[in-house]
């Protein structure tokens, strides 16, 4: 997925002995994807990493559940009004929209995770609308802040330590994995020079070596169920690692937007790919420069895609009535487009200050009761003229 990183001590070849100065053997752990054919990371532990006991681990994870059949309609959810569960991030997610490929949730974590968590079902992508903190993993600590995407690979043991102040994150649980779009990579996997970001735009972990926080419990999510384990010693016992599977942060403002002679479709804003989904970043930029250009997005019927937009800040050229923290959901099957007046008003504009995350999904999204509780009931009719 990304370039190979190396931290701490690793032997000169994989699957050979690594010993400390006293001759003590270290234990290799290979974190592989797609069986043994995909990207991988090899870590070196003080102790066998697979020695866990079954244990009961309490948690407050909320799995998404759909509402009874609802009319096909454009929807608007105000996440700033969502139920603030608070507590640790592992318990804090409030699912809003979901399908077989992803679950979109919001969370307002207020405490550090008291246990380690590993999502065996999904790669995770967070967008930090407000707040920041530290993601702690055996590979190292990852610092993140407002306007960052934070990626946690499937199967990566971790805990979140939110910083001071309010936290408001969007969570995308990507059940078929996440990757950097193929069109931005060359044949070696390196980001192309004409990609909208480069390897230097990503923030990596700071490796800390073995440490003991006193935490021994691990919660694992697998097959939509939760499983508890306990370690006798700290699982944060790495002396070194190398590979291409690791968490990272990507500041959304590092995405280099493009403008065209006329309006470019969302694929140009594609930032992360996933099974059945494309995650796009809309960042402040100059707009289309044909003398007769209409910079506002054209009305469209993307017959294969549901579209959700998380509005972060700025002035949205095509929308009225949405604000920071809003989520719009425009389902496939019925066309969507700009709000009345915005199409015409965009003519002659030179730039947009909008900051938003868009997700196009191939499968229809279902809403949860938590989403319905923060729904703007007038949104569907807000597209009628007058
Ligand atoms: Fe759209």
């Amino acid at each position: 997925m990304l370039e190979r990183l190396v931290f701490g001590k690793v032997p000169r070849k994989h699957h050979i002995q690594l010993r400390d100065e006293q001759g003590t053997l270290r234990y290799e752990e290979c974190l592989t994807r797609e069986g043994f054919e995909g990207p991988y990371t090899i870590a070196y532990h003080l102790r066998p990493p697979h020695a866990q006991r079954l244990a009961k681990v309490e948690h407050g994870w909320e799995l998404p559940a759909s509402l009874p059949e609802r009319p096909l309609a454009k929807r608007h959810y105000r996440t700033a009004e969502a139920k603030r569960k608070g507590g640790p991030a592992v318990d804090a997610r409030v699912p809003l929209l979901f399908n077989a490929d992803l679950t979109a949730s919001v969370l307002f974590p207020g405490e550090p995770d008291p246990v380690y968590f590993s999502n065996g079902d999904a790669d995770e992508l967070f967008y930090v609308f407000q707040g920041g903190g530290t993601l702690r993993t055996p590979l190292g600590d990852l610092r993140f802040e407002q306007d960052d995407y934070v990626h946690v690979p499937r199967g990566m043991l971790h805990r979140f330590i939110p910083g001071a102040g309010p936290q408001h994150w969007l969570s995308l649980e990507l059940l078929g994995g996440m990757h950097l779009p193929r069109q931005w990579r060359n044949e070696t996997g390196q980001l192309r020079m004409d990609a909208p970001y480069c390897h230097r735009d990503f923030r990596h972990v700071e490796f800390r070596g073995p440490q003991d926080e006193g935490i021994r419990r691990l919660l694992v999510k697998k097959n939509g169920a939760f499983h508890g384990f306990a370690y006798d010693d700290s699982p944060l016992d790495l002396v070194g690692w190398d590979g291409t599977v690791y968490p990272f942060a990507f500041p959304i403002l590092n995405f280099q937007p493009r403008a065209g002679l006329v309006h470019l479709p969302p694929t140009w804003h594609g930032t992360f790919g996933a099974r059945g989904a494309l995650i796009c970043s809309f960042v402040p930029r100059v707009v289309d420069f044909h003398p007769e250009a209409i910079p506002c997005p054209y009305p469209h019927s993307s017959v294969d895609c549901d579209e959700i937009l998380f509005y972060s800040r700025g002035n949205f050229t095509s929308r009225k009535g949405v604000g920071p923290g809003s989520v719009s959901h425009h389902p496939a099957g019925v066309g969507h487009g700009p709000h009345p007046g915005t199409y015409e008003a965009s003519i002659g504009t030179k730039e947009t200050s909008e900051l938003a995350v868009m997700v196009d999904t191939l499968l229809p999204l279902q809403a949860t009761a938590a989403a319905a509780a923060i729904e703007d009931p007038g949104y569907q009719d807000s597209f009628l003229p007058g």
Side-chain angles (χ1 to χ4, degrees):
M1 173 180 280
L2 288 169
E3 78 267 42
R4 170 184 174 261
L5 298 181
V6 55
F7 288 100
K9 291 194 172 105
V10 299
R12 67 184 186 281
K13 189 171 173 56
H14 55 354
H15 317 323
I16 67 171
Q17 297 170 36
L18 175 68
R19 295 181 183 273
D20 68 3
E21 293 74 19
Q22 286 73 44
T24 308
L25 191 62
R26 304 310 192 196
Y27 294 87
E28 187 180 278
E29 179 192 15
C30 299
L31 177 59
T32 71
R33 297 172 67 97
E34 297 161 34
F36 293 88
E37 296 182 6
Y40 61 92
T41 280
I42 301 181
Y44 295 86
H45 293 259
L46 296 179
R47 297 173 286 271
H50 53 300
Q52 313 101 341
R53 286 178 286 109
L54 298 182
K56 187 165 175 57
V57 177
E58 300 292 337
H59 68 87
W61 252 85
E62 192 176 316
L63 292 170
S66 59
L67 294 165
E69 197 67 28
R70 299 205 300 169
L72 191 69
K74 301 176 186 65
R75 309 276 181 179
H76 170 209
Y77 306 105
R78 295 191 169 103
T79 72
E81 297 173 9
K83 177 175 64 167
R84 291 179 183 248
K85 283 180 77 179
V90 69
D91 295 337
R93 271 177 253 221
V94 178
L96 299 177
L97 294 162
F98 68 99
N99 63 23
D101 292 326
L102 71 87
T103 300
S105 307
V106 286
L107 64 164
F108 307 86
E111 299 166 25
D113 284 325
V115 299
Y116 298 114
F117 175 60
S118 170
N119 193 332
D121 281 338
D123 284 342
E124 305 232 42
L125 184 70
F126 297 87
Y127 172 70
V128 182
F129 170 57
Q130 195 175 24
T134 301
L135 173 74
R136 178 152 295 160
T137 76
L139 306 186
D141 277 4
L142 180 69
R143 177 181 58 80
F144 62 92
E145 53 198 46
Q146 180 180 308
D147 298 342
D148 282 350
Y149 288 106
V150 179
H151 166 59
V152 186
R154 187 167 66 250
M156 176 65 61
L157 180 150
H158 67 275
R159 66 187 281 257
F160 276 106
I161 305 166
Q167 307 282 338
H168 185 166
W169 309 350
L170 172 71
S171 152
L172 297 173
E173 196 187 0
L174 300 162
L175 294 148
M178 188 191 101
H179 58 271
L180 301 186
R182 200 162 301 283
Q183 70 264 30
W184 306 144
R185 293 181 280 144
N186 64 27
E187 68 273 16
T188 70
Q190 184 184 28
L191 289 167
R192 293 165 55 108
M193 288 193 73
D194 58 357
Y197 41 50
C198 72
H199 290 282
R200 298 177 197 174
D201 289 326
F202 292 77
R203 191 180 316 120
H204 297 307
V205 298
E206 293 171 33
F207 182 60
R208 290 158 51 101
Q211 54 186 307
D212 187 351
E213 304 184 286
I215 297 173
R216 299 289 184 267
R217 300 276 159 154
L218 170 67
L219 180 69
V220 173
K221 178 171 182 278
K222 188 63 189 171
N223 296 331
F226 295 89
H227 312 273
F229 298 91
Y231 292 92
D232 287 339
D233 292 291
S234 172
L236 304 186
D237 66 342
L238 263 62
V239 298
W241 66 272
D242 76 341
T244 62
V245 178
Y246 45 77
F248 63 75
F250 177 76
I252 191 172
L253 294 173
N254 281 358
F255 188 84
Q256 299 160 202
R258 284 187 168 86
L261 184 66
V262 294
H263 195 79
L264 296 175
T267 35
W268 284 100
H269 305 275
T271 311
F272 303 110
R275 186 188 71 196
L278 179 68
I279 295 112
C280 300
S281 302
F282 290 109
V283 302
R285 60 193 182 279
V286 297
V287 294
D288 325 314
F289 46 89
H290 188 285
E292 296 171 55
I294 302 175
C296 187
Y298 34 80
H300 56 280
S301 294
S302 299
V303 295
D304 297 323
C305 294
D306 273 25
E307 172 199 289
I308 54 178
L309 257 165
F310 182 93
Y311 300 87
S312 189
R313 64 175 179 269
N315 187 25
F316 301 102
T317 50
S318 62
R319 294 278 186 275
K320 290 176 174 173
V322 297
S326 283
V327 169
S328 62
H329 173 210
H330 293 173
V334 61
H336 67 255
H339 267 111
T342 58
Y343 192 68
E344 300 82 351
S346 75
I347 295 172
T349 57
K350 302 291 182 210
E351 59 187 21
T352 174
S353 63
E354 68 185 11
L355 183 66
V357 175
M358 190 185 85
V359 186
D360 272 343
T361 70
L362 292 177
L363 296 176
L365 289 158
Q366 304 286 315
T368 65
I374 54 169
E375 184 168 356
D376 165 9
Y379 189 68
Q380 169 69 29
D381 286 349
S382 69
F383 290 88
L384 298 174

